[in-house]
């Protein structure tokens, strides 16, 4: 035992030494001619100790990179998988726009293999790429952009104000409007315009081991917010980084022009960037002010005009207040904790007035529309819930309360909500590929998921359910896990959505739900009998999804076909691989397929105490633990269990894509008994 411990110590110490040897940092609290920078284009260092990247000339580019490259990639340990080193940076910048017009275009913190960017264009390309090489993997460029103009790949430009993460091009992987999270709150965002405040401080941190990035911004002199604007964003930089990379900044103007300045900068590899002492930084450049509206010769006329205007304003405010009191609904308890409230007017414009051409899905609780937010040009999905005396408001509040605070890469992210009289609207990420149900059964251009993609999707759903059941601050029962509620993003990763039926309770407590809700074919036997949902009923539904993805068949295709029973029969006949979707053309990993089929049968056990928890399911899917050997799969599927599902009154969903409201299933006998 002692020798083994000594061996591990001897192996671990060199790794620590290597990380320490690769740790390097820099800090500039103001700039001068002795600063070790390579300046290109319009960039200059001013006597005021400001680094000016661009002036107000149109279509220009400015670069400023530290003269010494940093080692950003670990390739020196053959036994270990190469990875990108961790890094962190903090900097203060200022954008000065003209007193007329919106200015543009923006600046970007950049990590690149060279300080020169041949053929790079100004405008939306920020002096890093051009229309020909935009998005090429050979660029090896990582950038975090601070953009003041929208319209990339669009027909026209509009005023913008967002932070984005870019890899090898200007198509951002993730964007957020510039804002900071108010202290003492979980998600209350305070928006600010980067071109209007005196200066902005940004913090960027990348964890090379976790492959996760945090980005925080705030206007000076506010301190650093404790919660990042972009938090734990999963991104792999190993394929982007080369072994030695230059670090710095790039900015550009277009037909509209702003001046971009740096006041201070710190950076570190494999460590925390040194803190900037704000009092040591140079003063930010002055903003351009509008000329005075009243010349001195018109002071008397101005005073009289001001009095008249004041009276008109008072009348206007009184009128607005009366309309506000008459039309605005009082905030309910659940609304206080859900601060992402959109203006109804913005959502009405985004969806073009909720016209039919924007409709992408219809469900039991309402319709879903595709929209483009006018303020950020971001694509969103807007769920418009139909409010009635029997349903609507409760489902709306449940989805906003639960999904609004959940954050996981395998869940659909809520962006906000809106409530105006009887209109209940939920705004969340637009997922371009629609639902897993749509891809399996009604694919575009006959697209077929291969086995690797299917297996990755199943592992993603498992990770999302594990987060809901065990890893979040409360236990979340989804209650409607099915393929039409699993959305597939542009990278074919799974995102579990539609939380309209979800219920929350504290860890260690027992769920007290009594309504039978869900979808025929995914409802666990005990839920049909007792109406009590639990994490185990979610596991049952996930087990059906496992079988559905492998076989390519719906849970119930006719009055005589039941998917779970069919797989059990083939299992007992020793021919379980006969159920595999023929569209795979026998191209799959037999070990993985057999694991998923047997795990599906394990999760759909008739007795809920036989089913595994999601933590164990995840371990099985990752081959961390072997599946238990069960000689006789005790599903207990019988005519009585089939009958227990038969008395359910189903409100079926008319699906146009993956954005569907949940199907609410109630039993007349159970409701009557209450």
């Amino acid at each position: 035992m002692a020798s083994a411990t000594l061996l591990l110590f001897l192996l671990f110490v060199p790794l620590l030494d290597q990380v320490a040897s690769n740790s390097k940092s820099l800090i500039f609290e103001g700039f001068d001619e002795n600063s070790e920078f390579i300046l290109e284009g319009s960039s200059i260092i001013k006597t005021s100790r400001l680094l000016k990247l661009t002036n107000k000339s149109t279509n220009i580019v400015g670069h400023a990179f530290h003269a010494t490259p940093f080692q950003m990639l670990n390739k020196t340990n053959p036994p270990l998988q190469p990875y990108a080193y961790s890094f962190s940076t903090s900097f203060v910048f200022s954008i000065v726009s003209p007193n007329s017009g919106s200015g543009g275009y923006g600046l970007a913190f950049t990590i690149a293999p060279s300080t020169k960017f041949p053929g790079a264009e100004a405008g939306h390309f920020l002096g890093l790429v051009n229309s020909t090489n935009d998005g090429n993997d050979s660029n090896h460029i990582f950038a975090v952009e601070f953009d003041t103009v929208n319209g990339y790949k669009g027909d026209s430009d509009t005023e913008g104000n967002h932070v984005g993460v870019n890899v090898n091009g200007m198509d951002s992987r993730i964007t957020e409007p510039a804002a900071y999270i108010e202290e003492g709150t979980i998600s209350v965002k305070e928006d600010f315009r980067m071109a209007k405040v005196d200066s902005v401080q940004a913090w960027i941190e990348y964890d090379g081991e976790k492959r996760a990035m945090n980005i925080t911004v705030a206007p000076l002199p506010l301190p650093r917010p404790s919660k990042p604007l972009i938090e734990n964003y999963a991104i792999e930089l190993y394929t982007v980084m080369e072994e030695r990379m230059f670090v710095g900044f790039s900015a550009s103007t277009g037909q509209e022009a702003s001046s971009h300045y740096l006041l201070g900068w710190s950076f570190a590899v494999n460590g925390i960037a040194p803190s900037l002492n704000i009092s040591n930084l140079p003063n930010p450049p002055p903003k351009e002010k509008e000329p005075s509206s009243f010349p001195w010769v018109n002071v008397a006329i101005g005073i009289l005009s001001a009095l008249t205007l004041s009276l008109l304003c008072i009348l206007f405010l009184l009128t607005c207040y009366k309309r506000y009191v008459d039309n605005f609904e009082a905030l309910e308890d659940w609304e206080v904790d859900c601060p992402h409230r959109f203006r109804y007017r913005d959502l009405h414009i985004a969806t073009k007035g909720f016209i039919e051409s924007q409709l992408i899905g219809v469900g039991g609780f309402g319709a879903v529309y595709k929209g483009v937010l006018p303020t950020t040009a971001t694509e969103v999905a807007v769920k418009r819930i139909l409010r009635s005396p029997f349903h609507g408001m409760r489902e709306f509040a449940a989805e906003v309360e639960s999904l609004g605070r959940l954050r996981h890469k395998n869940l659909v992210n809520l962006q906000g909500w809106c409530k105006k009289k009887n209109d209940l609207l939920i705004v969340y990420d637009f997922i371009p590929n629609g639902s897993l149900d749509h891809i399996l059964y009604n694919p575009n251009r006959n697209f077929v998921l291969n086995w690797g993609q299917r297996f990755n999707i199943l592992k993603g759903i498992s990770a999302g359910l594990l987060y809901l059941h065990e890893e979040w601050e409360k236990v979340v029962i989804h209650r409607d896990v099915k393929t039409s509620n699993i959305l597939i993003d542009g990278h074919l990763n799974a995102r579990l959505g539609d939380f309209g039926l979800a219920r929350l309770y504290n860890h260690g407590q027992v769920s007290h739900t009594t309504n039978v809700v869900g979808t025929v074919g995914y409802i666990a036997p005990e839920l049909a009998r007792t109406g009590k949902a639990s994490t185990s009923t979610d596991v049952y539904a996930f087990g059906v999804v496992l079988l559905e993805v492998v076989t390519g068949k719906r849970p119930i295709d006719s009055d005589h076909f039941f998917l779970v029973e069919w797989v059990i029969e083939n299992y007992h006949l020793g021919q379980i691989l006969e159920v595999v979707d023929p569209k795979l053309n026998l191209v799959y990993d037999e070990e993985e397929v057999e694991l998923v089929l047997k795990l599906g049968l394990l999760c759909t056990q008739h007795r809920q105490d036989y089913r595994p928890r999601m933590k164990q399911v995840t371990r099985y899917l990752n081959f961390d633990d072997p599946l238990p050997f069960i000689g006789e799969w005790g599903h207990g599927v019988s005519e009585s269990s089939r009958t227990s599902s038969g008395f359910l009154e189903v409100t079926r969903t008319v699906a146009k894509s993956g954005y569907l409201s949940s199907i609410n299933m109630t039993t007349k006998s159970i409701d009557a008994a209450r």
Side-chain angles (χ1 to χ4, degrees):
M1 179 65 181
S3 61
T5 304
L6 178 59
L7 178 59
L8 288 174
F9 177 79
L10 292 175
L11 290 173
F12 187 66
V13 167
L15 295 179
L16 290 177
D17 290 342
Q18 183 187 353
V19 171
S21 66
N22 288 325
S23 297
K24 188 176 180 182
S25 64
L26 56 83
I27 182 170
F28 297 95
E29 295 177 336
F31 306 87
D32 56 38
E33 62 263 12
N34 296 321
S35 301
E36 298 178 352
F37 274 87
I38 299 174
L39 303 180
E40 299 280 351
S42 61
S43 296
I44 61 170
I45 295 177
K46 299 179 68 66
T47 56
S48 57
R49 298 172 53 232
L50 293 169
L51 197 166
K52 188 174 184 179
L53 293 167
T54 67
N55 53 45
K56 291 189 177 65
S57 300
T58 59
N59 296 303
I60 61 171
V61 171
H63 296 145
F65 284 82
H66 192 257
T68 304
F70 287 78
Q71 185 172 348
M72 301 299 294
L73 198 60
N74 175 25
K75 288 187 176 180
T76 59
N77 290 300
L80 301 177
Q81 180 181 359
Y83 61 91
Y85 281 135
S86 300
F87 65 85
S88 69
T89 186
S90 173
F91 50 93
V92 178
F93 65 92
S94 180
I95 301 176
V96 179
S97 297
N99 55 24
S100 60
S102 58
Y105 263 67
L107 62 87
F109 166 75
T110 305
I111 302 178
S114 172
T115 61
K116 299 185 182 298
F117 303 83
E121 297 177 14
H124 289 294
F125 297 100
L126 298 183
L128 295 174
V129 294
N130 56 47
S131 57
T132 302
N133 66 0
D134 184 21
N136 289 356
D137 292 342
S138 59
N139 292 335
H140 294 284
I141 295 174
F142 167 78
V144 176
E145 67 174 23
F146 301 84
D147 207 344
T148 57
V149 178
N150 291 326
Y152 170 69
K153 290 187 177 180
D155 295 328
S156 61
D157 292 341
T158 59
E159 186 175 2
N161 184 53
H162 66 266
V163 180
V165 177
N166 298 355
V167 173
N168 293 324
M170 306 316 298
D171 195 359
S172 298
R173 298 283 185 88
I174 182 174
T175 62
E176 285 286 346
Y180 61 93
I181 310 300
E182 290 186 2
E183 292 300 316
T185 69
I186 297 177
S187 55
V188 179
K189 291 183 179 179
E190 186 68 30
D191 294 336
F192 67 93
R193 302 205 66 80
M194 295 184 290
K196 299 300 181 184
V197 299
D198 286 339
S199 54
V200 179
Q201 187 165 10
W203 297 264
I204 303 170
E205 297 162 335
Y206 178 67
D207 189 326
E209 293 184 1
K210 296 181 179 178
R211 278 72 168 174
M213 177 167 291
N214 292 330
I215 300 176
T216 310
V217 293
L220 284 181
L222 292 181
R224 177 176 181 172
S226 58
K227 186 174 178 60
L229 173 66
I230 296 176
E231 186 175 20
N232 290 328
Y233 175 65
I235 182 170
E236 174 61 77
L237 295 184
Y238 164 66
T239 57
V240 181
M241 298 295 183
E242 294 187 348
E243 191 159 2
R244 303 188 71 80
M245 302 284 279
F246 290 88
V247 182
F249 298 85
S250 180
S252 72
T253 65
Q255 293 304 314
E256 300 285 346
S258 298
S259 297
H260 300 87
Y261 295 83
L262 278 179
L263 284 68
W265 176 36
S266 67
F267 178 80
V269 177
N270 288 327
I272 299 176
S275 297
L276 295 172
N277 187 338
I278 303 303
S279 61
N280 291 339
L281 300 182
N283 293 326
K287 301 287 186 180
E288 294 190 8
K289 297 181 179 179
E290 296 285 345
S292 174
S293 300
F294 297 99
W296 288 106
V297 294
N298 292 324
V299 169
I301 298 175
I303 293 174
L304 293 175
S305 299
L307 291 174
T308 303
L309 183 62
S310 298
L311 292 174
L312 292 174
C313 288
I314 291 173
L315 291 174
F316 177 77
L317 291 174
L318 288 174
T319 302
C320 291
Y321 178 76
K322 185 177 185 302
R323 290 182 179 178
Y324 177 89
V325 171
D326 291 342
N327 297 330
F328 193 82
E329 299 183 40
L331 289 178
E332 301 173 23
D333 292 340
W334 64 268
E335 295 181 77
V336 177
D337 297 324
C338 304
H340 302 282
R341 185 165 188 168
F342 281 88
R343 293 191 306 171
Y344 181 84
R345 178 176 176 273
D346 288 342
L347 298 183
H348 192 270
I349 294 173
T351 58
K352 301 178 181 179
F354 301 100
I355 61 175
E356 188 174 353
S357 63
Q358 296 296 105
L359 188 67
I360 55 177
V362 179
F365 296 139
V368 182
Y369 298 83
K370 179 182 178 181
V372 179
L373 296 177
T375 55
T376 62
T378 303
E379 288 186 323
V380 294
V382 182
K383 179 189 289 185
R384 193 180 195 186
I385 294 179
L386 298 176
R387 196 169 180 179
S388 76
F390 305 103
H391 68 266
M393 190 61 211
R394 179 172 180 174
E395 289 72 19
F396 174 77
E399 188 152 6
V400 172
E401 277 191 296
S402 57
L403 186 56
R405 290 183 291 153
L406 297 171
R407 284 295 179 268
H408 191 273
K409 66 180 181 179
N410 295 113
L411 301 180
V412 175
N413 290 324
L414 177 95
Q415 291 198 18
W417 58 277
C418 177
K419 179 167 72 76
K420 180 182 180 182
K421 294 185 178 179
N422 287 327
D423 266 330
L424 308 176
L425 306 172
I426 297 177
V427 183
Y428 51 97
D429 290 347
F430 175 74
I431 310 299
N433 285 329
S435 73
L436 178 58
D437 181 275
H438 185 76
I439 293 176
L440 286 176
Y441 306 116
N442 299 290
N444 295 326
R445 297 184 296 275
N446 295 320
F447 172 74
V448 176
L449 291 169
N450 63 39
W451 172 248
Q453 292 163 341
R454 298 187 192 205
F455 194 47
N456 181 64
I457 287 170
L458 292 174
K459 290 196 287 187
I461 306 165
S462 174
L465 282 172
L466 174 62
Y467 172 78
L468 295 177
H469 288 182
E470 303 184 32
E471 295 178 347
W472 195 52
E473 62 189 49
K474 289 189 176 183
V475 178
V476 182
I477 310 174
H478 187 278
R479 301 207 301 171
D480 202 17
V481 177
K482 58 182 178 180
T483 53
S484 61
N485 283 340
I486 297 164
L487 306 182
I488 307 301
D489 66 19
H491 300 287
L492 296 181
N493 294 314
R495 305 272 291 273
L496 183 60
D498 202 335
F499 285 71
L501 299 179
R503 293 294 179 266
L504 290 70
Y505 60 92
N506 293 324
H507 288 278
Q509 292 184 348
V510 177
S511 169
H512 297 292
T513 59
T514 55
N515 289 331
V516 179
V517 296
T519 302
V520 169
Y522 299 91
I523 298 176
E526 70 275 10
L527 179 59
R529 292 193 304 270
T530 67
K532 291 185 177 180
S534 66
T535 56
S536 183
T537 57
D538 276 356
V539 170
Y540 182 94
F542 178 64
V544 176
V545 171
L546 288 171
L547 301 179
E548 198 173 348
V549 170
V550 176
T551 63
K553 293 184 179 296
R554 296 188 183 277
I556 300 175
D557 261 357
S558 66
D559 293 338
H560 305 289
F561 179 83
F562 298 89
L563 177 60
V564 175
E565 293 185 32
W566 181 59
V567 176
I568 294 172
E569 291 172 2
N570 280 274
Y571 170 76
H572 285 309
L573 293 173
Q575 55 183 30
I576 194 168
L577 293 181
E578 294 296 319
V579 305
V580 177
D581 188 348
K583 290 193 292 291
L584 289 174
N585 293 322
L586 300 178
V587 180
Y588 54 82
D589 185 308
E590 290 190 5
E591 183 181 9
E592 291 177 350
V593 168
E594 189 168 346
L595 167 76
V596 173
L597 287 171
K598 290 182 178 179
L599 181 57
L601 294 179
L602 184 62
C603 291
T604 54
Q605 288 284 300
H606 187 72
R607 288 185 52 175
Q608 66 182 98
D609 54 341
Y610 285 0
R611 300 173 204 148
R613 299 169 64 89
M614 284 310 304
K615 185 174 184 179
Q616 191 61 52
V617 169
T618 303
R619 292 185 62 83
Y620 290 147
L621 284 174
N622 290 323
F623 288 94
D624 293 331
D625 290 335
L627 272 175
F629 176 78
I630 303 178
E632 188 68 33
W633 296 82
H635 279 71
V637 177
S638 64
E639 199 63 37
S640 62
S641 66
R642 205 178 297 169
T643 304
S644 67
S645 297
F647 71 89
L648 295 171
E649 178 190 313
V650 183
T651 304
R652 296 199 176 273
T653 298
V654 179
K656 287 183 67 175
S657 79
Y659 296 94
L660 304 177
S661 268
S662 300
I663 300 174
N664 193 348
M665 314 264 304
T666 61
T667 64
K668 294 182 179 179
S669 58
I670 291 177
D671 288 344
R674 297 192 183 93

